[in-house]
Amino acid sequence: MSPPQTAARARPFRDGLLRLDPPRLLGSHCPACGTTAFPSRTFCPRCRAGDGLVETELGVEGRVHSFTVVRQAPPGVEVPYVLAQVDLPADDVRLMARVVGVAPEEVVLDMPVTLELAPFGTAEDGTVLLGHRFTAAAEVAR
Ligand SMILES: [Zn+2]
Protein backbone atom coordinates (compact mmCIF):
# COMPACT_ATOMS: atom_id res chain seq x y z
CA MET A 1 0.00 0.00 0.00
CA SER A 2 1.50 3.32 -1.05
CA PRO A 3 1.12 6.40 1.14
CA PRO A 4 -1.58 8.80 -0.01
CA GLN A 5 -0.45 12.02 -1.67
CA THR A 6 -1.63 15.13 0.08
CA ALA A 7 -3.09 17.65 -2.35
CA ALA A 8 -3.12 20.65 -0.04
CA ARG A 9 0.01 21.60 1.82
CA ALA A 10 -0.17 20.88 5.50
CA ARG A 11 2.09 21.25 8.49
CA PRO A 12 1.86 20.90 12.27
CA PHE A 13 0.30 23.92 13.94
CA ARG A 14 3.40 24.11 16.11
CA ASP A 15 6.92 23.10 15.05
CA GLY A 16 8.30 20.00 16.71
CA LEU A 17 4.96 18.81 18.04
CA LEU A 18 4.16 16.04 15.63
CA ARG A 19 5.12 14.20 12.48
CA LEU A 20 2.61 13.97 9.65
CA ASP A 21 3.44 10.73 7.83
CA PRO A 22 2.86 8.50 9.60
CA PRO A 23 0.99 10.58 12.18
CA ARG A 24 3.02 10.61 15.39
CA LEU A 25 3.37 12.89 18.38
CA LEU A 26 6.95 13.89 19.13
CA GLY A 27 8.22 13.91 22.69
CA SER A 28 11.58 14.04 24.37
CA HIS A 29 13.23 11.04 25.98
CA CYS A 30 15.78 11.27 28.79
CA PRO A 31 18.40 8.51 28.56
CA ALA A 32 19.56 9.27 32.10
CA CYS A 33 16.31 8.29 33.85
CA GLY A 34 14.14 6.92 31.06
CA THR A 35 11.43 9.56 31.30
CA THR A 36 9.52 10.52 28.16
CA ALA A 37 7.78 13.90 28.07
CA PHE A 38 5.24 15.52 25.78
CA PRO A 39 5.46 18.12 24.43
CA SER A 40 9.20 17.89 23.92
CA ARG A 41 11.33 19.56 26.63
CA THR A 42 14.79 21.05 26.71
CA PHE A 43 15.39 19.50 30.13
CA CYS A 44 14.03 16.38 31.82
CA PRO A 45 10.99 17.14 34.02
CA ARG A 46 11.93 14.26 36.35
CA CYS A 47 15.71 14.35 36.88
CA ARG A 48 16.40 17.84 35.48
CA ALA A 49 19.04 16.58 33.07
CA GLY A 50 19.59 19.26 30.46
CA ASP A 51 21.80 17.36 28.06
CA GLY A 52 21.26 14.34 25.92
CA LEU A 53 17.49 14.47 25.56
CA VAL A 54 16.48 12.86 22.29
CA GLU A 55 13.40 13.36 20.15
CA THR A 56 11.15 10.33 20.23
CA GLU A 57 7.95 9.28 18.48
CA LEU A 58 5.16 8.41 20.87
CA GLY A 59 2.81 5.46 20.53
CA VAL A 60 -0.57 6.09 18.92
CA GLU A 61 -2.67 3.94 21.26
CA GLY A 62 -4.01 5.60 24.40
CA ARG A 63 -6.49 5.26 27.24
CA VAL A 64 -8.78 7.90 28.68
CA HIS A 65 -7.48 8.72 32.17
CA SER A 66 -10.05 11.43 32.89
CA PHE A 67 -12.21 13.76 30.89
CA THR A 68 -14.66 16.62 30.93
CA VAL A 69 -17.41 17.63 28.53
CA VAL A 70 -16.94 21.21 27.38
CA ARG A 71 -20.28 22.90 26.80
CA GLN A 72 -19.25 26.55 26.49
CA ALA A 73 -16.62 27.84 24.11
CA PRO A 74 -15.70 30.95 22.16
CA PRO A 75 -17.72 31.74 19.01
CA GLY A 76 -16.86 29.39 16.17
CA VAL A 77 -16.03 26.44 18.37
CA GLU A 78 -18.63 23.71 18.20
CA VAL A 79 -19.85 22.33 21.53
CA PRO A 80 -20.21 20.01 23.28
CA TYR A 81 -16.82 18.32 22.92
CA VAL A 82 -14.76 16.03 25.10
CA LEU A 83 -11.45 17.20 26.55
CA ALA A 84 -9.51 14.35 28.10
CA GLN A 85 -6.30 13.43 29.81
CA VAL A 86 -5.06 10.54 27.70
CA ASP A 87 -2.45 8.05 28.90
CA LEU A 88 -0.04 6.59 26.37
CA PRO A 89 0.99 3.41 28.19
CA ALA A 90 3.84 2.55 25.81
CA ASP A 91 5.59 5.81 26.73
CA ASP A 92 4.26 6.44 30.26
CA VAL A 93 3.03 9.81 29.04
CA ARG A 94 -0.20 11.62 29.94
CA LEU A 95 -1.40 14.47 27.75
CA MET A 96 -4.44 16.65 27.19
CA ALA A 97 -6.39 16.22 23.97
CA ARG A 98 -9.85 16.13 22.50
CA VAL A 99 -11.58 12.78 22.12
CA VAL A 100 -13.81 12.36 19.08
CA GLY A 101 -15.67 9.56 17.38
CA VAL A 102 -18.26 8.98 20.10
CA ALA A 103 -20.96 11.04 21.74
CA PRO A 104 -19.75 12.80 24.90
CA GLU A 105 -22.09 10.73 27.07
CA GLU A 106 -20.51 7.53 25.74
CA VAL A 107 -16.97 8.38 26.82
CA VAL A 108 -15.85 6.30 29.79
CA LEU A 109 -12.70 6.06 31.87
CA ASP A 110 -10.02 3.74 30.47
CA MET A 111 -11.64 3.84 27.03
CA PRO A 112 -9.12 2.93 24.32
CA VAL A 113 -8.39 5.75 21.91
CA THR A 114 -6.13 6.21 18.90
CA LEU A 115 -4.17 9.24 17.76
CA GLU A 116 -5.32 11.09 14.68
CA LEU A 117 -4.44 14.40 13.08
CA ALA A 118 -7.09 16.92 12.18
CA PRO A 119 -7.15 20.40 10.62
CA PHE A 120 -6.63 22.98 13.31
CA GLY A 121 -6.78 26.07 11.15
CA THR A 122 -5.20 27.66 8.14
CA ALA A 123 -1.99 29.67 8.00
CA GLU A 124 -1.80 33.03 6.22
CA ASP A 125 -0.20 31.37 3.18
CA GLY A 126 -3.03 28.85 2.90
CA THR A 127 -1.17 25.96 4.48
CA VAL A 128 -3.47 23.70 6.47
CA LEU A 129 -2.41 23.53 10.11
CA LEU A 130 -2.79 20.11 11.70
CA GLY A 131 -3.25 19.31 15.34
CA HIS A 132 -3.66 16.10 17.31
CA ARG A 133 -6.69 14.51 18.89
CA PHE A 134 -7.78 11.00 19.75
CA THR A 135 -10.61 8.98 18.31
CA ALA A 136 -12.43 6.30 20.23
CA ALA A 137 -11.17 2.96 19.04
CA ALA A 138 -14.06 0.51 18.80
CA GLU A 139 -11.49 -1.99 17.62
CA VAL A 140 -7.77 -1.75 17.15
CA ALA A 141 -7.32 -0.78 13.53
CA ARG A 142 -3.55 -1.21 13.35
ZN1 LIG B 1 15.63 12.32 33.29
mmCIF file of all heavy atoms in Angstrom, residues 54-102:
data_model
loop_
_atom_site.group_PDB
_atom_site.id
_atom_site.type_symbol
_atom_site.label_atom_id
_atom_site.label_comp_id
_atom_site.label_asym_id
_atom_site.label_seq_id
_atom_site.Cartn_x
_atom_site.Cartn_y
_atom_site.Cartn_z
ATOM 1 N N VAL A 54 16.634 13.189 23.706
ATOM 2 C CA VAL A 54 16.483 12.856 22.293
ATOM 3 C C VAL A 54 15.016 12.894 21.902
ATOM 4 O O VAL A 54 14.136 12.535 22.682
ATOM 5 C CB VAL A 54 17.083 11.473 21.970
ATOM 6 C CG1 VAL A 54 18.584 11.496 22.119
ATOM 7 C CG2 VAL A 54 16.477 10.392 22.842
ATOM 8 N N GLU A 55 14.773 13.339 20.674
ATOM 9 C CA GLU A 55 13.404 13.355 20.149
ATOM 10 C C GLU A 55 12.925 11.926 19.978
ATOM 11 O O GLU A 55 13.673 11.072 19.517
ATOM 12 C CB GLU A 55 13.383 14.076 18.802
ATOM 13 C CG GLU A 55 11.997 14.196 18.192
ATOM 14 C CD GLU A 55 12.035 14.905 16.843
ATOM 15 O OE1 GLU A 55 11.918 16.136 16.840
ATOM 16 O OE2 GLU A 55 12.199 14.217 15.816
ATOM 17 N N THR A 56 11.676 11.674 20.353
ATOM 18 C CA THR A 56 11.148 10.326 20.233
ATOM 19 C C THR A 56 9.704 10.368 19.758
ATOM 20 O O THR A 56 8.947 11.264 20.130
ATOM 21 C CB THR A 56 11.265 9.586 21.590
ATOM 22 O OG1 THR A 56 10.818 8.239 21.428
ATOM 23 C CG2 THR A 56 10.416 10.250 22.655
ATOM 24 N N GLU A 57 9.346 9.403 18.909
ATOM 25 C CA GLU A 57 7.955 9.281 18.475
ATOM 26 C C GLU A 57 7.167 8.544 19.547
ATOM 27 O O GLU A 57 7.620 7.521 20.057
ATOM 28 C CB GLU A 57 7.872 8.493 17.163
ATOM 29 C CG GLU A 57 8.456 9.205 15.979
ATOM 30 C CD GLU A 57 8.203 8.425 14.685
ATOM 31 O OE1 GLU A 57 7.639 7.317 14.749
ATOM 32 O OE2 GLU A 57 8.574 8.944 13.623
ATOM 33 N N LEU A 58 5.990 9.044 19.860
ATOM 34 C CA LEU A 58 5.157 8.406 20.867
ATOM 35 C C LEU A 58 4.215 7.393 20.220
ATOM 36 O O LEU A 58 3.882 7.499 19.037
ATOM 37 C CB LEU A 58 4.334 9.454 21.621
ATOM 38 C CG LEU A 58 5.125 10.578 22.289
ATOM 39 C CD1 LEU A 58 4.184 11.481 23.070
ATOM 40 C CD2 LEU A 58 6.224 10.038 23.178
ATOM 41 N N GLY A 59 3.773 6.436 21.011
ATOM 42 C CA GLY A 59 2.813 5.460 20.530
ATOM 43 C C GLY A 59 1.481 6.121 20.214
ATOM 44 O O GLY A 59 1.162 7.192 20.728
ATOM 45 N N VAL A 60 0.688 5.494 19.368
ATOM 46 C CA VAL A 60 -0.570 6.091 18.923
ATOM 47 C C VAL A 60 -1.770 5.565 19.709
ATOM 48 O O VAL A 60 -2.869 6.097 19.581
ATOM 49 C CB VAL A 60 -0.798 5.852 17.413
ATOM 50 C CG1 VAL A 60 0.310 6.513 16.614
ATOM 51 C CG2 VAL A 60 -0.881 4.365 17.088
ATOM 52 N N GLU A 61 -1.559 4.529 20.513
ATOM 53 C CA GLU A 61 -2.674 3.942 21.261
ATOM 54 C C GLU A 61 -2.706 4.530 22.667
ATOM 55 O O GLU A 61 -1.692 4.550 23.363
ATOM 56 C CB GLU A 61 -2.524 2.421 21.351
ATOM 57 C CG GLU A 61 -2.376 1.727 20.001
ATOM 58 C CD GLU A 61 -3.585 1.895 19.102
ATOM 59 O OE1 GLU A 61 -4.699 2.125 19.638
ATOM 60 O OE2 GLU A 61 -3.435 1.796 17.881
ATOM 61 N N GLY A 62 -3.882 5.014 23.087
ATOM 62 C CA GLY A 62 -4.007 5.603 24.404
ATOM 63 C C GLY A 62 -5.228 5.107 25.143
ATOM 64 O O GLY A 62 -6.029 4.324 24.620
ATOM 65 N N ARG A 63 -5.336 5.567 26.394
ATOM 66 C CA ARG A 63 -6.489 5.256 27.244
ATOM 67 C C ARG A 63 -6.948 6.550 27.907
ATOM 68 O O ARG A 63 -6.122 7.354 28.350
ATOM 69 C CB ARG A 63 -6.096 4.264 28.341
ATOM 70 C CG ARG A 63 -5.677 2.914 27.834
ATOM 71 C CD ARG A 63 -6.865 1.992 27.795
ATOM 72 N NE ARG A 63 -6.501 0.684 27.238
ATOM 73 C CZ ARG A 63 -7.363 -0.323 27.149
ATOM 74 N NH1 ARG A 63 -8.593 -0.194 27.592
ATOM 75 N NH2 ARG A 63 -6.991 -1.459 26.610
ATOM 76 N N VAL A 64 -8.249 6.717 28.028
ATOM 77 C CA VAL A 64 -8.780 7.902 28.682
ATOM 78 C C VAL A 64 -8.544 7.787 30.188
ATOM 79 O O VAL A 64 -9.063 6.869 30.834
ATOM 80 C CB VAL A 64 -10.287 8.074 28.384
ATOM 81 C CG1 VAL A 64 -10.869 9.214 29.220
ATOM 82 C CG2 VAL A 64 -10.502 8.336 26.898
ATOM 83 N N HIS A 65 -7.742 8.700 30.730
ATOM 84 C CA HIS A 65 -7.480 8.723 32.174
ATOM 85 C C HIS A 65 -8.585 9.491 32.899
ATOM 86 O O HIS A 65 -9.075 9.064 33.939
ATOM 87 C CB HIS A 65 -6.125 9.344 32.449
ATOM 88 C CG HIS A 65 -5.873 9.592 33.912
ATOM 89 N ND1 HIS A 65 -5.593 8.578 34.790
ATOM 90 C CD2 HIS A 65 -5.907 10.737 34.637
ATOM 91 C CE1 HIS A 65 -5.456 9.090 36.006
ATOM 92 N NE2 HIS A 65 -5.631 10.397 35.949
ATOM 93 N N SER A 66 -8.944 10.637 32.361
ATOM 94 C CA SER A 66 -10.046 11.429 32.891
ATOM 95 C C SER A 66 -10.530 12.333 31.773
ATOM 96 O O SER A 66 -9.848 12.493 30.770
ATOM 97 C CB SER A 66 -9.616 12.247 34.116
ATOM 98 O OG SER A 66 -8.715 13.258 33.735
ATOM 99 N N PHE A 67 -11.700 12.910 31.951
ATOM 100 C CA PHE A 67 -12.213 13.760 30.886
ATOM 101 C C PHE A 67 -13.280 14.699 31.422
ATOM 102 O O PHE A 67 -13.827 14.500 32.504
ATOM 103 C CB PHE A 67 -12.794 12.921 29.736
ATOM 104 C CG PHE A 67 -14.059 12.181 30.090
ATOM 105 C CD1 PHE A 67 -15.306 12.717 29.784
ATOM 106 C CD2 PHE A 67 -14.003 10.961 30.737
ATOM 107 C CE1 PHE A 67 -16.473 12.042 30.112
ATOM 108 C CE2 PHE A 67 -15.171 10.279 31.079
ATOM 109 C CZ PHE A 67 -16.407 10.818 30.768
ATOM 110 N N THR A 68 -13.558 15.733 30.643
ATOM 111 C CA THR A 68 -14.659 16.624 30.929
ATOM 112 C C THR A 68 -15.374 16.929 29.617
ATOM 113 O O THR A 68 -14.774 16.829 28.540
ATOM 114 C CB THR A 68 -14.165 17.925 31.598
ATOM 115 O OG1 THR A 68 -15.298 18.689 32.028
ATOM 116 C CG2 THR A 68 -13.352 18.775 30.639
ATOM 117 N N VAL A 69 -16.642 17.246 29.715
ATOM 118 C CA VAL A 69 -17.410 17.630 28.533
ATOM 119 C C VAL A 69 -17.508 19.151 28.526
ATOM 120 O O VAL A 69 -18.058 19.749 29.452
ATOM 121 C CB VAL A 69 -18.814 16.997 28.543
ATOM 122 C CG1 VAL A 69 -19.595 17.453 27.297
ATOM 123 C CG2 VAL A 69 -18.713 15.477 28.585
ATOM 124 N N VAL A 70 -16.927 19.754 27.510
ATOM 125 C CA VAL A 70 -16.936 21.208 27.381
ATOM 126 C C VAL A 70 -18.221 21.632 26.679
ATOM 127 O O VAL A 70 -18.526 21.160 25.584
ATOM 128 C CB VAL A 70 -15.694 21.684 26.588
ATOM 129 C CG1 VAL A 70 -15.729 23.199 26.411
ATOM 130 C CG2 VAL A 70 -14.420 21.249 27.296
ATOM 131 N N ARG A 71 -18.988 22.485 27.353
ATOM 132 C CA ARG A 71 -20.281 22.900 26.803
ATOM 133 C C ARG A 71 -20.339 24.383 26.471
ATOM 134 O O ARG A 71 -21.328 24.853 25.917
ATOM 135 C CB ARG A 71 -21.398 22.547 27.788
ATOM 136 C CG ARG A 71 -21.488 21.059 28.039
ATOM 137 C CD ARG A 71 -22.631 20.687 28.954
ATOM 138 N NE ARG A 71 -22.574 19.289 29.319
ATOM 139 C CZ ARG A 71 -22.960 18.273 28.544
ATOM 140 N NH1 ARG A 71 -23.455 18.515 27.357
ATOM 141 N NH2 ARG A 71 -22.844 17.032 28.956
ATOM 142 N N GLN A 72 -19.314 25.134 26.839
ATOM 143 C CA GLN A 72 -19.250 26.545 26.489
ATOM 144 C C GLN A 72 -17.882 26.827 25.898
ATOM 145 O O GLN A 72 -16.869 26.390 26.446
ATOM 146 C CB GLN A 72 -19.467 27.422 27.715
ATOM 147 C CG GLN A 72 -20.885 27.349 28.247
ATOM 148 C CD GLN A 72 -21.130 28.364 29.324
ATOM 149 O OE1 GLN A 72 -20.284 28.562 30.185
ATOM 150 N NE2 GLN A 72 -22.283 29.012 29.284
ATOM 151 N N ALA A 73 -17.873 27.547 24.789
ATOM 152 C CA ALA A 73 -16.616 27.837 24.107
ATOM 153 C C ALA A 73 -16.764 29.149 23.359
ATOM 154 O O ALA A 73 -17.876 29.639 23.162
ATOM 155 C CB ALA A 73 -16.276 26.688 23.153
ATOM 156 N N PRO A 74 -15.632 29.708 22.931
ATOM 157 C CA PRO A 74 -15.696 30.955 22.164
ATOM 158 C C PRO A 74 -16.483 30.747 20.870
ATOM 159 O O PRO A 74 -16.632 29.616 20.404
ATOM 160 C CB PRO A 74 -14.224 31.252 21.855
ATOM 161 C CG PRO A 74 -13.457 30.470 22.857
ATOM 162 C CD PRO A 74 -14.277 29.259 23.165
ATOM 163 N N PRO A 75 -16.987 31.847 20.286
ATOM 164 C CA PRO A 75 -17.716 31.738 19.015
ATOM 165 C C PRO A 75 -16.894 30.991 17.968
ATOM 166 O O PRO A 75 -15.680 31.173 17.875
ATOM 167 C CB PRO A 75 -17.914 33.203 18.605
ATOM 168 C CG PRO A 75 -17.847 33.969 19.881
ATOM 169 C CD PRO A 75 -16.883 33.220 20.765
ATOM 170 N N GLY A 76 -17.551 30.138 17.210
ATOM 171 C CA GLY A 76 -16.864 29.390 16.166
ATOM 172 C C GLY A 76 -16.401 28.016 16.593
ATOM 173 O O GLY A 76 -15.992 27.213 15.767
ATOM 174 N N VAL A 77 -16.431 27.757 17.876
ATOM 175 C CA VAL A 77 -16.035 26.436 18.374
ATOM 176 C C VAL A 77 -17.296 25.652 18.687
ATOM 177 O O VAL A 77 -18.123 26.086 19.491
ATOM 178 C CB VAL A 77 -15.151 26.541 19.636
ATOM 179 C CG1 VAL A 77 -14.794 25.152 20.150
ATOM 180 C CG2 VAL A 77 -13.895 27.349 19.334
ATOM 181 N N GLU A 78 -17.427 24.508 18.042
ATOM 182 C CA GLU A 78 -18.628 23.705 18.196
ATOM 183 C C GLU A 78 -18.615 22.968 19.536
ATOM 184 O O GLU A 78 -17.607 22.367 19.908
ATOM 185 C CB GLU A 78 -18.704 22.695 17.045
ATOM 186 C CG GLU A 78 -20.081 22.106 16.829
ATOM 187 C CD GLU A 78 -20.142 21.269 15.559
ATOM 188 O OE1 GLU A 78 -19.629 21.731 14.522
ATOM 189 O OE2 GLU A 78 -20.696 20.159 15.627
ATOM 190 N N VAL A 79 -19.713 23.041 20.266
ATOM 191 C CA VAL A 79 -19.847 22.326 21.533
ATOM 192 C C VAL A 79 -21.078 21.419 21.458
ATOM 193 O O VAL A 79 -21.966 21.667 20.633
ATOM 194 C CB VAL A 79 -19.983 23.315 22.722
ATOM 195 C CG1 VAL A 79 -18.677 24.017 22.969
ATOM 196 C CG2 VAL A 79 -21.126 24.285 22.513
ATOM 197 N N PRO A 80 -21.209 20.415 22.305
ATOM 198 C CA PRO A 80 -20.209 20.007 23.279
ATOM 199 C C PRO A 80 -19.068 19.221 22.640
ATOM 200 O O PRO A 80 -19.225 18.651 21.575
ATOM 201 C CB PRO A 80 -21.011 19.112 24.224
ATOM 202 C CG PRO A 80 -22.050 18.493 23.343
ATOM 203 C CD PRO A 80 -22.412 19.564 22.351
ATOM 204 N N TYR A 81 -17.916 19.208 23.327
ATOM 205 C CA TYR A 81 -16.824 18.320 22.921
ATOM 206 C C TYR A 81 -16.155 17.788 24.179
ATOM 207 O O TYR A 81 -16.342 18.327 25.274
ATOM 208 C CB TYR A 81 -15.837 19.007 21.981
ATOM 209 C CG TYR A 81 -15.039 20.149 22.575
ATOM 210 C CD1 TYR A 81 -13.855 19.918 23.271
ATOM 211 C CD2 TYR A 81 -15.462 21.460 22.414
ATOM 212 C CE1 TYR A 81 -13.114 20.964 23.797
ATOM 213 C CE2 TYR A 81 -14.730 22.523 22.931
ATOM 214 C CZ TYR A 81 -13.561 22.261 23.617
ATOM 215 O OH TYR A 81 -12.840 23.301 24.138
ATOM 216 N N VAL A 82 -15.406 16.705 23.979
ATOM 217 C CA VAL A 82 -14.764 16.032 25.103
ATOM 218 C C VAL A 82 -13.292 16.415 25.151
ATOM 219 O O VAL A 82 -12.573 16.269 24.157
ATOM 220 C CB VAL A 82 -14.903 14.500 24.988
ATOM 221 C CG1 VAL A 82 -14.128 13.800 26.094
ATOM 222 C CG2 VAL A 82 -16.376 14.110 25.025
ATOM 223 N N LEU A 83 -12.862 16.910 26.306
ATOM 224 C CA LEU A 83 -11.455 17.198 26.550
ATOM 225 C C LEU A 83 -10.973 16.197 27.588
ATOM 226 O O LEU A 83 -11.570 16.096 28.672
ATOM 227 C CB LEU A 83 -11.289 18.627 27.054
ATOM 228 C CG LEU A 83 -9.859 19.154 27.138
ATOM 229 C CD1 LEU A 83 -9.187 19.162 25.766
ATOM 230 C CD2 LEU A 83 -9.856 20.548 27.730
ATOM 231 N N ALA A 84 -9.933 15.457 27.243
ATOM 232 C CA ALA A 84 -9.512 14.349 28.102
ATOM 233 C C ALA A 84 -8.028 14.406 28.419
ATOM 234 O O ALA A 84 -7.238 14.985 27.674
ATOM 235 C CB ALA A 84 -9.828 13.014 27.424
ATOM 236 N N GLN A 85 -7.687 13.784 29.544
ATOM 237 C CA GLN A 85 -6.302 13.428 29.805
ATOM 238 C C GLN A 85 -6.150 12.007 29.297
ATOM 239 O O GLN A 85 -6.861 11.099 29.748
ATOM 240 C CB GLN A 85 -5.985 13.510 31.281
ATOM 241 C CG GLN A 85 -5.838 14.938 31.779
ATOM 242 C CD GLN A 85 -5.215 14.968 33.155
ATOM 243 O OE1 GLN A 85 -5.685 14.295 34.045
ATOM 244 N NE2 GLN A 85 -4.165 15.742 33.321
ATOM 245 N N VAL A 86 -5.251 11.840 28.348
ATOM 246 C CA VAL A 86 -5.060 10.540 27.705
ATOM 247 C C VAL A 86 -3.696 9.987 28.116
ATOM 248 O O VAL A 86 -2.683 10.679 28.019
ATOM 249 C CB VAL A 86 -5.143 10.674 26.174
ATOM 250 C CG1 VAL A 86 -4.782 9.362 25.486
ATOM 251 C CG2 VAL A 86 -6.536 11.147 25.757
ATOM 252 N N ASP A 87 -3.703 8.750 28.584
ATOM 253 C CA ASP A 87 -2.452 8.055 28.895
ATOM 254 C C ASP A 87 -1.973 7.299 27.668
ATOM 255 O O ASP A 87 -2.768 6.632 26.999
ATOM 256 C CB ASP A 87 -2.666 7.048 30.039
ATOM 257 C CG ASP A 87 -2.761 7.722 31.386
ATOM 258 O OD1 ASP A 87 -2.280 8.860 31.520
ATOM 259 O OD2 ASP A 87 -3.307 7.091 32.312
ATOM 260 N N LEU A 88 -0.679 7.400 27.397
ATOM 261 C CA LEU A 88 -0.041 6.585 26.366
ATOM 262 C C LEU A 88 0.828 5.568 27.101
ATOM 263 O O LEU A 88 1.962 5.866 27.469
ATOM 264 C CB LEU A 88 0.811 7.451 25.432
ATOM 265 C CG LEU A 88 0.086 8.594 24.723
ATOM 266 C CD1 LEU A 88 1.066 9.377 23.850
ATOM 267 C CD2 LEU A 88 -1.083 8.077 23.905
ATOM 268 N N PRO A 89 0.291 4.371 27.337
ATOM 269 C CA PRO A 89 0.994 3.406 28.194
ATOM 270 C C PRO A 89 2.379 3.020 27.678
ATOM 271 O O PRO A 89 3.292 2.786 28.468
ATOM 272 C CB PRO A 89 0.062 2.186 28.194
ATOM 273 C CG PRO A 89 -1.267 2.695 27.766
ATOM 274 C CD PRO A 89 -0.996 3.868 26.867
ATOM 275 N N ALA A 90 2.550 2.970 26.363
ATOM 276 C CA ALA A 90 3.841 2.552 25.811
ATOM 277 C C ALA A 90 4.951 3.527 26.181
ATOM 278 O O ALA A 90 6.120 3.157 26.225
ATOM 279 C CB ALA A 90 3.746 2.410 24.294
ATOM 280 N N ASP A 91 4.585 4.774 26.448
ATOM 281 C CA ASP A 91 5.588 5.807 26.727
ATOM 282 C C ASP A 91 5.510 6.353 28.146
ATOM 283 O O ASP A 91 6.297 7.194 28.523
ATOM 284 C CB ASP A 91 5.417 6.966 25.734
ATOM 285 C CG ASP A 91 5.491 6.499 24.296
ATOM 286 O OD1 ASP A 91 6.575 6.069 23.890
ATOM 287 O OD2 ASP A 91 4.453 6.534 23.607
ATOM 288 N N ASP A 92 4.503 5.908 28.918
ATOM 289 C CA ASP A 92 4.263 6.444 30.256
ATOM 290 C C ASP A 92 4.089 7.965 30.203
ATOM 291 O O ASP A 92 4.686 8.698 30.983
ATOM 292 C CB ASP A 92 5.392 6.041 31.213
ATOM 293 C CG ASP A 92 5.005 6.262 32.672
ATOM 294 O OD1 ASP A 92 3.793 6.301 32.965
ATOM 295 O OD2 ASP A 92 5.912 6.421 33.508
ATOM 296 N N VAL A 93 3.291 8.393 29.242
ATOM 297 C CA VAL A 93 3.031 9.814 29.042
ATOM 298 C C VAL A 93 1.536 10.070 29.198
ATOM 299 O O VAL A 93 0.721 9.259 28.773
ATOM 300 C CB VAL A 93 3.500 10.263 27.632
ATOM 301 C CG1 VAL A 93 2.908 11.610 27.242
ATOM 302 C CG2 VAL A 93 5.012 10.316 27.568
ATOM 303 N N ARG A 94 1.188 11.182 29.830
ATOM 304 C CA ARG A 94 -0.203 11.623 29.941
ATOM 305 C C ARG A 94 -0.301 13.001 29.306
ATOM 306 O O ARG A 94 0.502 13.889 29.608
ATOM 307 C CB ARG A 94 -0.622 11.670 31.401
ATOM 308 C CG ARG A 94 -2.071 12.146 31.607
ATOM 309 C CD ARG A 94 -2.467 11.997 33.055
ATOM 310 N NE ARG A 94 -2.504 10.585 33.425
ATOM 311 C CZ ARG A 94 -2.455 10.145 34.690
ATOM 312 N NH1 ARG A 94 -2.341 10.997 35.684
ATOM 313 N NH2 ARG A 94 -2.508 8.855 34.942
ATOM 314 N N LEU A 95 -1.274 13.183 28.429
ATOM 315 C CA LEU A 95 -1.402 14.467 27.749
ATOM 316 C C LEU A 95 -2.867 14.835 27.607
ATOM 317 O O LEU A 95 -3.750 13.997 27.718
ATOM 318 C CB LEU A 95 -0.710 14.417 26.383
ATOM 319 C CG LEU A 95 -1.207 13.348 25.396
ATOM 320 C CD1 LEU A 95 -2.223 13.946 24.454
ATOM 321 C CD2 LEU A 95 -0.060 12.772 24.618
ATOM 322 N N MET A 96 -3.090 16.120 27.360
ATOM 323 C CA MET A 96 -4.442 16.648 27.193
ATOM 324 C C MET A 96 -4.782 16.677 25.709
ATOM 325 O O MET A 96 -3.982 17.136 24.894
ATOM 326 C CB MET A 96 -4.490 18.067 27.763
ATOM 327 C CG MET A 96 -5.867 18.647 27.853
ATOM 328 S SD MET A 96 -6.686 18.157 29.373
ATOM 329 C CE MET A 96 -5.915 19.300 30.526
ATOM 330 N N ALA A 97 -5.970 16.202 25.374
ATOM 331 C CA ALA A 97 -6.394 16.222 23.971
ATOM 332 C C ALA A 97 -7.898 16.033 23.887
ATOM 333 O O ALA A 97 -8.532 15.541 24.825
ATOM 334 C CB ALA A 97 -5.687 15.118 23.182
ATOM 335 N N ARG A 98 -8.447 16.414 22.765
ATOM 336 C CA ARG A 98 -9.846 16.132 22.503
ATOM 337 C C ARG A 98 -10.027 14.656 22.178
ATOM 338 O O ARG A 98 -9.141 14.029 21.609
ATOM 339 C CB ARG A 98 -10.343 16.944 21.305
ATOM 340 C CG ARG A 98 -10.675 18.363 21.626
ATOM 341 C CD ARG A 98 -11.516 18.916 20.507
ATOM 342 N NE ARG A 98 -11.593 20.364 20.599
ATOM 343 C CZ ARG A 98 -12.518 21.074 19.950
ATOM 344 N NH1 ARG A 98 -13.395 20.480 19.174
ATOM 345 N NH2 ARG A 98 -12.548 22.378 20.081
ATOM 346 N N VAL A 99 -11.200 14.134 22.530
ATOM 347 C CA VAL A 99 -11.581 12.781 22.124
ATOM 348 C C VAL A 99 -12.806 12.908 21.229
ATOM 349 O O VAL A 99 -13.787 13.564 21.594
ATOM 350 C CB VAL A 99 -11.877 11.884 23.341
ATOM 351 C CG1 VAL A 99 -12.503 10.555 22.901
ATOM 352 C CG2 VAL A 99 -10.596 11.620 24.133
ATOM 353 N N VAL A 100 -12.723 12.300 20.058
ATOM 354 C CA VAL A 100 -13.811 12.364 19.082
ATOM 355 C C VAL A 100 -14.225 10.945 18.698
ATOM 356 O O VAL A 100 -13.623 9.971 19.133
ATOM 357 C CB VAL A 100 -13.374 13.151 17.817
ATOM 358 C CG1 VAL A 100 -12.989 14.569 18.175
ATOM 359 C CG2 VAL A 100 -12.234 12.428 17.108
ATOM 360 N N GLY A 101 -15.261 10.864 17.899
ATOM 361 C CA GLY A 101 -15.675 9.563 17.378
ATOM 362 C C GLY A 101 -16.795 8.908 18.155
ATOM 363 O O GLY A 101 -17.328 7.886 17.723
ATOM 364 N N VAL A 102 -17.127 9.474 19.318
ATOM 365 C CA VAL A 102 -18.262 8.980 20.102
ATOM 366 C C VAL A 102 -18.975 10.181 20.714
ATOM 367 O O VAL A 102 -18.391 11.249 20.866
ATOM 368 C CB VAL A 102 -17.834 8.036 21.254
ATOM 369 C CG1 VAL A 102 -17.336 6.720 20.721
ATOM 370 C CG2 VAL A 102 -16.800 8.694 22.138
#
